[in-house]
Amino acid sequence: MKIVFMGTPDFAVTALDKLYQSEHEVLAVFTQPDKPKGRGYKLVPPPVKQFAITHDTPVFQPASLKKDADEVIEKLKSFTPDCIVVAAYGKILPKEVLDIPRLGCVNIHASLLPRYRGAAPIQRAILNGEKVTGITLMKMDEGLDTGDILLQKEIEIGENDTSSDMFVKLALLGADMLSELLPKLENGEITLKKQIKASASYAQMITKDMCPINFSDSVFKIHRQVCALSDSPCAYCFLNGKRLKVYRSEIALTDKVNAKVGEFVGEKNFDVACSDGVIRFVEIQAEGGKRMNAAAYLNGKPVEQGTVLE
């Protein structure tokens, strides 16, 4: 099968790698433009571009599929793809693009559609305390994740799983499902399933104003916040006036303790009192320091009992 791939982050690389390992031919890759990063604002190519280049695949980075529509459509038509595979591309495909491949456009979406349509399905599922999530392979239409379901599988979210953990697990699941789907799609062995509109929900983008930890919240809410926002943009609080990023946590106690909210109550562990229990920081990064195990941090920089984090 002749395939054009559209994707941008590491999540998409896993599926692209699976395609390279298959009998299918990856004709071209479309991804987001390079973006400035770091102190010097040096342009950095997205992970999909970096990976595609190692396989000598032509890479295209249109700034807009609408403004550059004529050029993009002409280029896509020249490839005569059987299918366009999309994974976290970050751009909405216009109808003119959707109509090009004879087998349509397949999107790898990291939720059990119609739940968590939109930009941040993994983070929102964790924030909301979901026990399971999954991958939906969907035949794309003009709506936002509204297309018919081609294949769907679920996976558990562990109590301490972070978004980063789930990105890896779901990327692997999605890649395996794609391998399962494509031969069936080619042979006409797939039965399309309509999404139930009444069951739909939307996963809005994650913003930095969600990062500050409020120790007056429940221990479950704080734990979900830490897990959902790791590794980026990352939950944080302030210790002695300096920012402390929290990448991983655990629920240490679900009973209220005799301490102020935000008070350090640990000894060997980085335990902090919440409104109804104790949250344990497992992996942190102090301002100006490196990311490290929280218990190891305490060995080098003990926190005084009674210190209140804000």
Side-chain angles (χ1 to χ4, degrees), residues 126 156-163 165-166 169 227-228 248:
I126 294 174
E156 290 186 359
I157 301 175
E159 180 182 342
N160 298 319
D161 275 335
T162 66
S163 287
D165 297 332
M166 295 309 299
K169 293 178 183 181
C227 290
R248 291 186 181 271

Side-chain angles (χ1 to χ4, degrees), residues 27 58-59 66 91 141 162 168 172 175 184 211 221 267 281:
L27 303 170
V59 176
K66 289 184 178 180
K91 293 184 183 296
D141 61 16
T162 66
V168 173
L172 290 169
K184 294 180 180 179
C211 295
K221 184 175 181 180
E267 293 180 1
F281 294 165

Side-chain angles (χ1 to χ4, degrees), residues 190-210:
I190 294 293
T191 301
L192 297 174
K193 179 182 176 182
K194 295 286 184 183
Q195 294 190 39
I196 302 173
K197 187 176 181 180
S199 301
S201 62
Y202 289 88
Q204 294 180 329
M205 291 183 66
I206 299 299
T207 56
K208 290 184 178 180
D209 60 3
M210 300 169 64

Side-chain angles (χ1 to χ4, degrees), residues 264-271 295 298-299 302-303 305:
F264 178 80
V265 294
E267 293 180 1
K268 293 183 178 180
N269 294 310
F270 206 125
D271 294 347
L298 290 176
N299 286 333
V303 177
Q305 292 289 328

Side-chain angles (χ1 to χ4, degrees), residues 249-260:
S249 63
E250 295 175 353
I251 295 173
L253 189 66
T254 56
D255 294 317
K256 186 174 176 62
V257 293
N258 185 23
K260 298 177 182 177

Side-chain angles (χ1 to χ4, degrees), residues 177-237:
M177 289 171 63
L178 185 65
S179 293
E180 178 184 343
L181 173 78
L182 291 178
K184 294 180 180 179
L185 190 65
E186 173 74 19
N187 297 326
E189 299 171 357
I190 294 293
T191 301
L192 297 174
K193 179 182 176 182
K194 295 286 184 183
Q195 294 190 39
I196 302 173
K197 187 176 181 180
S199 301
S201 62
Y202 289 88
Q204 294 180 329
M205 291 183 66
I206 299 299
T207 56
K208 290 184 178 180
D209 60 3
M210 300 169 64
C211 295
I213 296 171
N214 181 357
F215 291 103
S216 295
D217 288 335
S218 72
V219 66
F220 289 100
K221 184 175 181 180
I222 293 171
H223 180 53
R224 291 196 300 265
Q225 177 188 7
V226 170
C227 290
L229 302 184
S230 182
D231 290 346
S232 178
C234 197
Y236 66 82
C237 57

